[in-house]
Amino acid sequence: MKLLNIDYIPGKEIEALGIVKGTIVQSKNVGRDFMAGMKTIVGGEVAGYTEMINEARQIATKRMVDEAESMGADAVINIRYGSSSVMQSAAEVVAYGTAVKIISDNK
């Protein structure tokens, strides 16, 4: 599955199949919360949260790809990511884009 954050596939004619998305709500664990609290005192990256968000982004992307595959797509274009705090200890990550079918080469 080709994944692009542009709205076309260079050299290909495509047919849009529809919007696809993947989403996950990921919660923090107590250990990460404690270490994050300590990190805010001294500053710097909170690696545990970075790992959590990266993992959530991967899961959301996979769910988006699964939805595109179920539609018969060859690619997802114009991919975007978003995140928001759902509650104090959980964040939502969403991946979305347009599922497309490659119908010919433009060469």
Side-chain angles (χ1 to χ4, degrees):
M1 176 76 54
K2 188 176 281 271
L3 304 175
L4 300 165
N5 70 344
I6 55 178
D7 60 358
Y8 63 96
I9 301 174
K12 306 289 184 188
E13 186 177 345
I14 57 174
E15 173 189 353
L17 301 177
I19 295 172
V20 289
K21 60 164 174 13
T23 187
I24 181 172
V25 175
Q26 186 93 6
S27 67
K28 307 170 198 172
N29 69 36
V30 176
R32 282 186 182 155
D33 274 348
F34 176 75
M35 293 308 291
M38 298 303 290
K39 195 63 153 179
T40 60
I41 295 170
V42 297
E45 180 182 7
V46 183
Y49 286 165
T50 300
E51 290 171 20
M52 180 192 78
I53 292 297
N54 282 335
E55 180 184 331
R57 192 175 297 117
Q58 288 173 350
I59 292 167
T61 300
K62 174 156 182 6
R63 290 177 179 174
M64 177 188 66
V65 167
D66 289 346
E67 186 174 332
E69 286 175 342
S70 75
M71 297 170 73
D74 299 312
V76 180
I77 60 170
N78 207 25
I79 294 175
R80 300 291 184 257
Y81 292 94
S83 64
S84 63
S85 179
V86 175
M87 52 193 242
Q88 188 172 6
S89 62
E92 176 192 34
V93 174
V94 62
Y96 59 96
T98 302
V100 298
K101 186 91 174 149
I102 297 172
I103 51 178
S104 68
D105 286 330
N106 285 339
K107 296 180 180 182

